[in-house]
Amino acid sequence: MAEAFGDAATLGHALAFEQALAKAQAAEGLISTVEAEAVAHACAQPLDLTSLAHEAAHAGTLAIPLVAELKRLGARRAHLGATSQDLADTVLMLQAKAGLALIEADVARVVRALKDLAIAHGETPMLARTLLQPALPTTFGMKAAQWALLAADSGRRLRSEAGLAVRLQLGGAVGALHGMQGGGAGVAASVAASLGLPVAVPWHARRDAVAGLGGALGILAGAMGKIALDVALLAQAEVGEAFEPQVEGRGGSSAMAHKRNPAGCQVALSAAHRAPHLAATLLAGLPQAHERGLGDWQAEAPVMAELFLVTHGAVRAMALVAEGLEVRPAAMRRNLEAAGVGFDLGEARRLMQAALDAAEHD
Amino acid sequence: MAEAFGDAATLGHALAFEQALAKAQAAEGLISTVEAEAVAHACAQPLDLTSLAHEAAHAGTLAIPLVAELKRLGARRAHLGATSQDLADTVLMLQAKAGLALIEADVARVVRALKDLAIAHGETPMLARTLLQPALPTTFGMKAAQWALLAADSGRRLRSEAGLAVRLQLGGAVGALHGMQGGGAGVAASVAASLGLPVAVPWHARRDAVAGLGGALGILAGAMGKIALDVALLAQAEVGEAFEPQVEGRGGSSAMAHKRNPAGCQVALSAAHRAPHLAATLLAGLPQAHERGLGDWQAEAPVMAELFLVTHGAVRAMALVAEGLEVRPAAMRRNLEAAGVGFDLGEARRLMQAALDAAEHD
Amino acid sequence: MAEAFGDAATLGHALAFEQALAKAQAAEGLISTVEAEAVAHACAQPLDLTSLAHEAAHAGTLAIPLVAELKRLGARRAHLGATSQDLADTVLMLQAKAGLALIEADVARVVRALKDLAIAHGETPMLARTLLQPALPTTFGMKAAQWALLAADSGRRLRSEAGLAVRLQLGGAVGALHGMQGGGAGVAASVAASLGLPVAVPWHARRDAVAGLGGALGILAGAMGKIALDVALLAQAEVGEAFEPQVEGRGGSSAMAHKRNPAGCQVALSAAHRAPHLAATLLAGLPQAHERGLGDWQAEAPVMAELFLVTHGAVRAMALVAEGLEVRPAAMRRNLEAAGVGFDLGEARRLMQAALDAAEHD
Amino acid sequence: MAEAFGDAATLGHALAFEQALAKAQAAEGLISTVEAEAVAHACAQPLDLTSLAHEAAHAGTLAIPLVAELKRLGARRAHLGATSQDLADTVLMLQAKAGLALIEADVARVVRALKDLAIAHGETPMLARTLLQPALPTTFGMKAAQWALLAADSGRRLRSEAGLAVRLQLGGAVGALHGMQGGGAGVAASVAASLGLPVAVPWHARRDAVAGLGGALGILAGAMGKIALDVALLAQAEVGEAFEPQVEGRGGSSAMAHKRNPAGCQVALSAAHRAPHLAATLLAGLPQAHERGLGDWQAEAPVMAELFLVTHGAVRAMALVAEGLEVRPAAMRRNLEAAGVGFDLGEARRLMQAALDAAEHD
């Protein structure tokens, strides 16, 4: 994920955008084929990533130094009719697309592993706890099925928001496609097709879908945090009902050799702790002035990158935890007996199945 | 909206829940018809709202004093197999349902008024501004169409999240429907039908949909904030391109009689300022321990009520602003001329229409 | 605390402000003694709280309907040279002053009770836990002393920020005291003295101290949350090392009669859960435009009121928890033995004393 | 600032910590001089930064791979009695100390430049604006003096919180200095002296001062955001009263060559937009379980680094803006005349001086 949002990926997507734009403009007759080829040629040259990143940081935008460099390399008509934000938003969405694929694959692992746990432990009685106090009996299968449904629903929301947010940005200086000589519709359709993104009404200052995507990532991180918190509480020495698997070189202590820390849960909880505030940054940034905001828009990209990073870290960590979870039915039974609340499981079996069915439905 | 989340509404929904539960349990043979009628009878008695609210605040839950009072009134089998959270979450969702109806009606007003503005001003040139600086020409119709699409999309997201979140909560003590003697499925279906809510796998500690609803409200509030910010910036004396309508008794100044403050925009901006943090509270509350959280769950209801209140205030305020907006084409033209960026509108007409079409599609 | 920020207190402080202003202006010769007496007379009349609150909500400010009402009652020169924000900010600070007194008294109770616990348990060995896993031995006294120091330091920060934030607001329309005919310095000094607030350079759009006060409240709420989380974890059935005292009518369950929920910890955790987002609202509101913001400033008062309310609730709840905490040294010893990490207490005694000393120093 | 929190600085501080610890332990007789020299020797060897960073990310802590590497290099007794968090927190505070020096130097530049502006424009009349509408006259000197006081007070708060937060962390495994054989006090004093940090009662799970420091950074970022918003609003073409200086290679537009964007204000507003949510992450992390939290503590370091980075970026940007601000008294006068609110300056001169005096007092 760090790669998906790294400098090399950023540059790669940016070059793909400029190349696709020139190709589309040649097809629409806005520039000549030779000019488009000059852009493609310049984009194929090795660029100095470090110096570009440095200049971009100074300029506050990658577009200006990148386009200057491409022009220096002969791409005289590069970036025609486009604005910095077209490049920046499109690059961000190409990164998001790659990031989402990584996340979705790991969400699927989490859901699958949790469902397997549920099915394996549909008859394993344990103590349910409310407000951190003993309540009544349930099964570990029920608990795992609830986790699976939470993960599945959070993954579904993410997919749905991604379907709204991940799209081409191409509006030109003020979202009215100046400089496309009336060929904007064709150019946009062609660039979108080249990049594998849907076309959209320019959304320079209409950021609801960005905030929606951020919220969905935040919810997924929080979902992983909920599962992690439960596992960490079950793994307390005095409870001892479940433990995350040990991973070589992780979860040790520099002061206490005997310790076996819940390192995967820690990653997920840390992410669940940071994500709401990252998502809130995007929400708070919705009131962006006029046709492009000042400061609020520019804060989005690093926040979104961080949100993808921590959320994916959480999902990946919980995939490992779920796949290797060590369940201790004997301890569950012992704690349940100690609570003295009987063994009536209510309708846990039926509801576990209902949760698993609901987690299935796509 | 204050009423929809007020004490009287809370009590009304709570009594409806208890009555529906008893009726359903009688139908399933869990209690007798006479017992169900005793519950219905108790629920019909006048209850002391103030004293109940006071006891509920002390107990930390409405269910305990309410059920005690109902039993005192003869409803011996009230609340059978239900838990405090069943009552609290269901009441919250009945309130959300009522609140959503209010919000959606006002979103529709906003969208309609903005579309009308767009159509009326499809040929009104004005200066587009990026980073608070003059950019290139656009039309006011384009600006209004972007606002309309933002409002429409935010309304759609809210409807979609509401479809996931607004549902019955009925899980009993630990989400396994203890005490329903195996008749839980029938009871839940019947209570859900009585209350007009869909049935659901108990979601006591699975709060993704609550956070999703909160996020959608936050996005809608932010969308209103964006429109409000634009209007307030256009209404600056030196710009003078659009003004919100004056409302008797609003927008005055206690120190300066000449002032005409953008009071509607103020309401929307204030809401957009608060909403992200309320939504973030819900996001941060996702990691709830085991079968019911301690502190995090209990924080949700007041936060959700506040979120509905400020969001609806914003939508209502912007409905009035949009419906009565005073547009000054002459000032728009004057500022555009002063900027010296010509009058080329690019593809503003086509894109305005595309925005209006996209705002339509449901 | 609900009273301190309630409508009656708001109105009382507002009338005190108007009366003090008129008195000061008479002393400076800006209005006649008779005119000042007319203001005092009007302020002494019974006012219709409900109708004023309603009009204030509509106008978006209390000042306008209140001053209109006072003028109707003969106070022709009321509010001279003042602006709505002067009244609103001063009222908020008078409320904050009253609220801080309540909070500080309860912080003192918390610190005292925790110190007593520390001293009583300086030799009570228990298991320290890191990352929710058994670590090495400590004493319960050490734990309580850490809590005490946390509470004491958080109380100190609050006092320090209150010393910066709680002050008179009197700047007139734009913070330049127009309409005071050069007598502003004298008037401000006199109003400040009447109200028991320090005078200050008008701070209409300079909100650092408000955000600082909010942050300090948030930290105090979080400190209470930390203590509450520890207590709730110790009170888990399988751990059983400490329990909050039972309070009649609190902590029960509507579904499980055997339950004894940590209701005080719940209140504190709920507050610690909400407070960061309330404090962040104030932080995010710092960039207020020009001489008075639009929307951001107006969001402060309700957020601050909520912050005082939840923070005080947390401190009050933890005072009761700390004063009545039931400590179980035998369970502590049993869990420590089970962990098999020996009984070496390190330098717990010395460090406990150091923590207690540090908690003392004011 | 990126350097102050970069990998090289992290490693440098970590090695300084380990070396100071060994030296102190030799002085206290806990290890031999030869053993301490072996630690010093190992710390002086060139270490592979990239591979250490990679292992640290995997282990979730730098201490474990670093100490292993030092031992491999012969430092058999390195890290004796210390825990990972001792190293991590101390390193963070050494970074904070370096970061604070950078920030304070730039705050001083901002305050100085704003005071100079105030003095130069104490008689420059301009229109004050409230709720984004024309209000009454003030002077630009008054405005700049308010900015100066805001910056000065925010700087003071930061210094005060830094005085509480920046300190040694040395508590050993559970904050009771196990393994120091009773010599902990001496060791801590000596390590603190070596590193130039004050000694403190171990604060592993007592994070009020960290949150306080974060809040102070957030307030400073917000203060810069307020100044930036005002400048950006003044720089609107239709207002034209002040402009930030142009910096080569900054503030340009890839689509519109005529544009002169407020790039410095953008940096500050972007920071002010992100900082509240970073500060809130720290506030929300206060309830850390027992003697070391799971997930919440581990989230602090990256958040704090980001907070330093964006806050310093904002202060640095506004130093350049304040030092080079282009003020246009003629435009100020023109807009003031157009507003038709006269030229009465109230007590702007006196209050400007009061603000400048208040900004002075340390």
Side-chain angles (χ1 to χ4, degrees), chain A residues 129-130 133 235-236 238 259, chain C residues 129-130 133 235 238 259:
Chain A
R129 296 161 175 104
T130 56
Q133 285 296 305
Q236 292 172 102
E238 298 83 2
K259 282 204 76 179
Chain C
R129 295 161 176 104
T130 57
Q133 284 296 305
E238 298 82 3
K259 282 204 74 179

Side-chain angles (χ1 to χ4, degrees), chain B residues 22 25-26 29-37 76-77:
Chain B
Q25 290 175 328
L30 298 180
I31 64 174
S32 72
T33 309
V34 170
E35 287 167 334
E37 274 162 12
R76 221 168 35 82
R77 307 296 300 277

Side-chain angles (χ1 to χ4, degrees), chain C:
Chain C
M1 187 59 77
E3 261 172 50
F5 284 87
D7 283 346
T10 300
L11 182 60
H13 292 315
L15 294 172
F17 172 85
E18 297 296 350
Q19 219 171 325
L21 179 64
K23 198 183 85 180
Q25 290 175 329
E28 290 288 319
L30 298 181
I31 63 174
S32 71
T33 311
V34 170
E35 287 167 334
E37 274 162 11
V39 173
H41 177 79
C43 288
Q45 302 310 305
L47 295 172
D48 181 344
L49 198 59
T50 314
S51 112
L52 267 174
H54 186 81
E55 284 176 79
H58 178 68
T61 157
L62 172 60
I64 293 179
L66 176 65
V67 172
E69 180 67 10
L70 292 178
K71 291 194 172 171
R72 213 186 49 77
L73 292 167
R76 222 167 35 82
R77 306 296 301 276
H79 200 64
L80 179 72
T83 189
S84 298
Q85 191 176 357
D86 291 334
L87 179 67
D89 278 346
T90 300
V91 165
L92 184 63
M93 287 306 143
L94 289 168
Q95 293 177 314
K97 195 178 170 183
L100 287 160
L102 295 175
I103 289 177
E104 283 182 22
D106 283 322
V107 170
R109 286 174 58 194
V110 169
V111 174
R112 200 176 321 117
L114 292 174
K115 282 183 167 180
D116 289 349
L117 278 171
I119 291 163
H121 292 282
E123 303 294 323
T124 304
M126 74 178 294
L127 184 59
R129 295 161 176 104
T130 57
L131 293 82
L132 287 180
Q133 284 296 305
L136 291 182
T138 189
T139 63
F140 181 66
M142 178 74 190
K143 198 174 189 88
Q146 284 274 1
W147 292 341
L149 180 50
L150 176 62
D153 281 343
S154 302
R156 270 195 279 262
R157 176 178 288 96
L158 180 58
R159 209 149 51 238
S160 156
E161 289 289 355
L164 299 171
V166 176
R167 51 189 167 159
L168 179 67
Q169 177 68 284
L170 187 62
V174 301
L177 285 171
H178 285 83
M180 298 279 182
Q181 300 167 34
V187 170
S190 163
V191 174
S194 290
L195 299 176
L197 294 174
V199 79
V201 177
W203 43 282
H204 290 157
R206 216 177 68 240
R207 313 301 288 183
D208 53 305
V210 170
L213 181 57
L217 287 164
I219 290 175
L220 180 57
M224 295 303 107
K226 189 269 184 286
I227 304 172
L229 177 62
D230 281 1
V231 170
L233 289 170
L234 295 176
Q236 291 172 103
E238 298 82 3
V239 180
E241 298 183 5
F243 298 93
E244 66 169 77
Q246 270 192 293
V247 174
E248 179 64 30
R250 234 193 204 183
S253 155
S254 71
M256 294 162 285
H258 68 276
K259 282 204 74 179
R260 178 177 167 182
N261 289 320
C265 294
Q266 173 189 310
V267 168
L269 283 166
S270 191
H273 189 65
R274 294 185 61 192
H277 306 280
L278 293 164
T281 312
L282 300 175
L283 274 175
L286 286 170
Q288 301 188 0
H290 293 318
E291 279 66 40
R292 183 166 320 143
L294 180 67
D296 27 32
W297 167 60
Q298 295 84 357
E300 284 180 7
V303 167
M304 191 57 102
E306 199 70 30
L307 201 38
F308 266 94
L309 211 71
V310 301
T311 304
H312 185 231
V315 181
R316 169 67 55 96
M318 293 316 290
L320 293 170
V321 169
E323 286 167 356
L325 195 74
E326 299 174 17
V327 183
R328 302 281 161 83
M332 288 175 175
R333 178 167 289 272
R334 189 192 62 228
N335 291 331
L336 180 54
E337 278 168 1
V341 293
F343 290 87
D344 170 7
L345 292 172
E347 304 185 16
R349 285 175 196 85
R350 177 179 69 80
L351 288 165
M352 178 187 97
Q353 194 52 53
L356 291 176
D357 291 349
E360 204 67 64
H361 83 73
D362 63 344

